[in-house]
Amino acid sequence: MGVALFEKVEHLLIFTHVTISEIQKQYWDSLSAVYDDREAKAITKIVFEKVLLLKSHMLFLERFRLLTTHQQERLNNILQRLLTSEPVQYVLEEADFYGLKFKVNAGVLIPRPETEELVEWVRSEISAPSAHMLDIGTGSGCIPITIAKSFPAAVIEAVDISEDALLVAEENNKLNGTAVKFSRMDILTEELNADTYDVIISNPPYIDVTEQAHMSANVLKYEPHLALFTEGTDDLIFYRRISQLANSSLKPGGKLFFEINAARGPQVVDLMGKAGFVNVQLRADLSGKDRMVMGKKA
């Protein structure tokens, strides 16, 4: 069909004879008004794979297949939300992380690729299959659940202050067939048991509220501020507090892992050293940014 598929950039018309390829092209063109070309095509791929239940190579092979009215309507509804800069993961209520599927909504952060690198580092440092681990500020549960898939004999706990996040994490626990123990905890005011854990992991809030002006609109508008921003102006408050707690709650030789603000690597290394950790290592992610720190309890 040669007619335009959009009445406007944000309105998909519903026709009876429209192919996958035609609407894909219109998706790319429409989303290019909000995202760069590469990202527009990546989002289109994610949406079409989800809605049509086809992998990318099948989308190409079946590009001349006609879409049903229902499929067109669903794609149109999704596009309306995407054009407001709402992240595709929230629109589809699903995110990929380390080869697994996770439910996400506005109550949890969207799992990031750099967090996959943190998980890989943690996995490489676990020496006992039955290790006892704790994830602090778990959000969707992507970190402990992913580790639990690789270490089914491990005892893994995870905490968060947000009840909404814990509901999502429990859903992901069931979705991925893991047995992580989730519970609510305010890490700034509550204590951890001494000499309990082999590994503690945390990707805590680390953005000062004054930095909001430099952040992208889709993050500020849609992702939970509780998981992003520290209260006040001390953006290291969680690292300092968790380091102090971890040094007593880890077993001798236990390890503490952080995901960090790329601009705060030396400060986090320093405060971990002051908290009593040794062999503190700062590691860059694949893009060359300092994003991870590990320290060992003496």
Side-chain angles (χ1 to χ4, degrees), residues 65-221:
R65 191 178 98 185
L66 298 178
L67 295 176
T68 66
T69 299
H70 174 72
Q71 288 170 333
Q72 292 182 61
E73 289 174 343
R74 188 175 179 202
L75 287 168
N76 184 41
N77 292 335
I78 290 171
L79 183 61
Q80 306 308 309
R81 294 173 65 179
L82 292 172
L83 289 173
T84 67
S85 297
E86 184 175 359
V88 65
Q89 293 90 344
Y90 288 159
V91 175
L92 300 180
E93 297 187 340
E94 183 179 271
D96 292 320
F97 183 82
Y98 214 88
L100 301 174
K101 295 289 185 184
F102 287 87
K103 176 181 172 60
V104 294
N105 60 30
V108 298
L109 292 180
I110 297 166
R112 267 44 177 201
E114 53 267 28
T115 306
E116 293 183 334
E117 296 182 54
L118 175 66
V119 167
E120 181 61 27
W121 194 9
V122 174
R123 289 175 71 252
S124 71
E125 293 287 339
I126 296 173
S127 56
S130 58
H132 194 172
M133 292 177 262
L134 173 68
D135 178 42
I136 298 173
T138 195
S140 66
C142 63
I143 291 175
I145 288 170
T146 301
I147 294 171
K149 295 292 284 187
S150 299
F151 296 90
V155 178
I156 304 180
E157 302 172 33
V159 298
D160 203 291
I161 194 172
S162 168
E163 294 283 6
D164 290 339
L166 290 170
L167 289 173
V168 175
E170 289 286 12
E171 285 192 56
N172 287 323
N173 215 16
K174 295 176 183 177
L175 177 66
N176 287 285
T178 48
V180 178
K181 180 182 177 182
F182 292 99
S183 59
R184 187 182 183 280
M185 181 179 185
D186 182 350
I187 199 66
L188 293 181
T189 61
E190 298 179 57
E191 302 295 325
L192 295 172
N193 293 329
D195 301 317
T196 300
Y197 303 103
D198 299 291
V199 175
I200 294 177
I201 313 149
S202 185
N203 177 17
Y206 54 66
I207 304 173
D208 187 319
V209 291
T210 61
E211 296 181 51
Q212 290 189 23
H214 307 292
M215 298 178 66
S216 60
N218 61 331
V219 172
L220 278 177
K221 184 176 180 181

Side-chain angles (χ1 to χ4, degrees), residues 234-296:
D234 183 5
D235 58 358
L236 297 177
I237 186 171
F238 285 98
Y239 297 104
R240 191 174 295 107
R241 171 67 173 169
I242 293 170
S243 294
Q244 292 166 352
L245 292 177
N247 196 41
S248 63
S249 62
L250 282 167
K251 299 173 185 176
K255 294 174 181 177
L256 172 62
F257 293 84
F258 281 128
E259 183 171 324
I260 65 169
N261 183 329
R264 295 290 186 266
Q267 292 96 320
V268 175
V269 169
D270 180 63
L271 69 82
M272 287 179 71
K274 289 178 179 176
F277 286 89
V278 298
N279 301 328
V280 180
Q281 301 175 40
L282 176 63
R283 180 174 290 193
D285 62 17
L286 292 177
S287 65
K289 295 181 179 179
D290 291 335
R291 295 305 302 265
M292 298 162 278
V293 180
M294 177 187 74
K296 183 177 180 181

